[in-house]
Amino acid sequence: MTRVRLTARGFGAALLGVLLVGFGLWWRYPGVAGLGIALVVLVVAGVVSVLSRAQVAPKRIVRPRTVQRLGVCTGVVELTGTSRRFPVVFDATDEVAGEVVAVDIPLLAPGQKVKVEYPIPTHTRGLLKVGPLTLSRRGLAGLAHARTVVGDVVEVRVVPRVLPVRGLPGGVRRGHVGADERVERGGTDLVGLREYVPGDDLRRLHWATSARTGTLMIREDADPARPHLAVVLDDHADGYAEAKDLEDAVEVAASLVTVAIAEGHPVRLVSSSGAVDVELPAGAVDADASVVLAVLADLKAADRASAVRSLPIRDLDVVAVVCGANADLSALMLEAGRASVGVVLAVDPGAVRPISAVGSVLVLRDAKAEGLLDAWNTAVSR
């Protein structure tokens, strides 16, 4: 729908033209009346120049649809002028998550095609709704303007940044009876059973359980040289000194999970509120990492503190707890202390000692995600 209105300049010109015509006829001054008529005609021409909606053929593209926070996302507007009479000046705005983004569009001559690129803000995680695009067309001499809403509303998912970080300490495994052990040689370790699905390797069938249950069951084996990584993300809002600190915590969790997946480690990601609980077996691919990032993109701060869920024994090789400066560390450290390698990474703007230890648990503190991951590289990864 197109709405045409006079601008303040156009309203003033129309009023002045009517007054001049009236006074010219009343006082019988043809020149004054002619000037008034000219002003009125000019205003009418300005309205006509923006009256038709078919003056442009708009096309809007947003790419990419998935982008890391603070990454580059671009909107592209292509306009083709279909008017054969008047050039038209456009002011354009796009709406991104409720915020107005200005789009600078040059003068569009009759029959001309223009292509304009503009940045989409990506400073906020989550699913951003982009659009619709609003074109405000100015007529001759800026006397009239028309607003037209064009383009669809598209969705852009902003996922956490994945920052460079080294992987896990190699060969650390926790025994199933609770004793720590360090495995130096290769092999496989039975960590679970699941039902057979078409495409599974029949050599991995667990015949004893299949015969007992009457259902084909597949072994889930883990390479002892590749420890499990469990990341516990504290998403309690009051656990962070500032709201933006949660963004750094999410990026630390995303970076650790991504590098572990790339190296073939089994991974589990849980949040303290229970909103997130994702488990990936060894050998997960990039698509699985993308799923984890999408889950973290939609994570919101929890209003109430929740008890930390106890991790199963098989996930207690390396446990990384990511939290804020105001978090209640007692329960978090207790969970980290159950692991062969337990690490607490705290986003703390007032950090004094970047690396310390409480019992067997390493405590890393820094104001930013980059600093925490550097401390991880120094104290944990080797």
Side-chain angles (χ1 to χ4, degrees):
M1 182 177 180
T2 302
R3 293 184 177 181
V4 179
R5 293 182 180 179
L6 293 178
T7 62
R9 181 187 301 176
F11 182 79
L15 179 61
L16 179 60
V18 171
L19 290 176
L20 289 177
V21 170
F23 287 141
L25 294 177
W26 179 264
W27 291 333
R28 296 183 181 179
Y29 289 148
V32 174
L35 179 60
I37 292 173
L39 284 175
V40 171
V41 170
L42 184 61
V43 171
V44 172
V47 172
V48 171
S49 68
V50 296
L51 188 59
S52 173
R53 186 179 181 181
Q55 288 185 356
V56 292
K59 180 181 179 182
R60 196 273 308 275
I61 302 173
V62 177
R63 57 191 179 195
R65 295 296 183 88
T66 300
V67 61
Q68 291 189 14
R69 191 175 75 91
L70 302 181
V72 177
C73 182
T74 304
V76 180
V77 179
E78 296 181 2
L79 298 175
T80 302
T82 59
S83 173
R84 298 181 179 180
R85 298 182 179 179
F86 307 105
V88 183
V89 177
F90 286 94
D91 293 323
T93 58
D94 209 350
E95 188 173 333
V96 180
E99 297 182 5
V100 176
V101 177
V103 182
D104 186 17
I105 296 180
L107 177 70
L108 186 64
Q112 182 186 9
K113 293 182 179 181
V114 296
K115 181 177 180 180
V116 179
E117 296 186 358
Y118 58 98
I120 302 294
T122 58
H123 54 272
T124 303
R125 275 186 306 111
L127 195 62
L128 303 183
K129 294 187 180 297
V130 180
L133 182 74
T134 300
L135 295 178
S136 180
R137 295 169 288 162
R138 287 178 286 163
L140 292 176
L143 299 176
H145 70 90
R147 288 188 175 180
T148 304
V149 176
V150 298
D152 297 329
V153 176
V154 300
E155 293 181 342
V156 174
R157 187 177 297 277
V158 180
V159 301
R161 290 186 301 167
V162 176
L163 303 171
V165 63
R166 296 176 189 168
L168 309 184
V172 178
R173 291 300 309 276
R174 183 179 177 91
H176 293 289
V177 296
D180 292 344
E181 60 182 16
R182 187 174 184 88
V183 181
E184 299 294 347
R185 298 186 180 182
T188 57
D189 191 15
L190 177 64
V191 297
L193 297 171
R194 60 175 175 80
E195 290 189 15
Y196 169 84
V197 295
D200 283 335
D201 187 351
L202 294 178
R203 293 175 295 181
R204 296 175 57 200
L205 281 173
H206 195 271
W207 293 107
T209 304
S210 300
R212 185 174 64 253
T213 62
T215 302
L216 294 179
M217 303 296 292
I218 294 291
R219 295 172 54 98
E220 286 190 334
D221 299 329
D223 183 353
R226 295 190 182 278
H228 290 239
L229 170 67
V231 177
V232 180
L233 175 61
D234 182 17
D235 56 350
H236 180 216
D238 290 345
Y240 295 88
E242 299 180 25
K244 64 181 180 63
D245 292 344
L246 177 59
E247 298 301 324
D248 286 278
V250 171
E251 289 174 356
V252 169
S255 302
L256 293 177
V257 168
T258 300
V259 72
I261 292 174
E263 293 182 350
H265 296 282
V267 174
R268 185 161 192 169
L269 171 66
V270 299
S271 64
S272 59
S273 69
V276 174
D277 190 347
V278 180
E279 184 177 3
L280 297 177
V285 295
D286 291 343
D288 298 310
S290 298
V291 171
V292 174
L293 292 180
V295 170
L296 287 175
D298 298 333
L299 178 68
K300 304 298 182 183
D303 295 331
R304 298 181 181 179
S306 304
V308 179
R309 298 177 58 184
S310 181
L311 295 170
I313 291 178
R314 68 174 182 176
D315 291 331
L316 294 179
D317 298 336
V318 180
V319 173
V321 176
V322 188
C323 61
N326 298 336
D328 182 6
L329 292 182
S330 56
L332 298 175
M333 283 196 173
L334 182 63
E335 193 64 21
R338 297 172 60 213
S340 295
V341 176
V343 185
V344 173
L345 301 98
V347 181
D348 186 356
V352 177
R353 297 178 60 190
I355 301 176
S356 60
V358 178
S360 62
V361 179
L362 276 173
V363 180
L364 311 180
R365 296 180 180 273
D366 200 275
K368 304 297 293 182
E370 293 86 347
L372 285 174
L373 295 177
D374 286 341
W376 171 280
N377 292 340
T378 301
V380 181
S381 180
R382 52 186 181 272

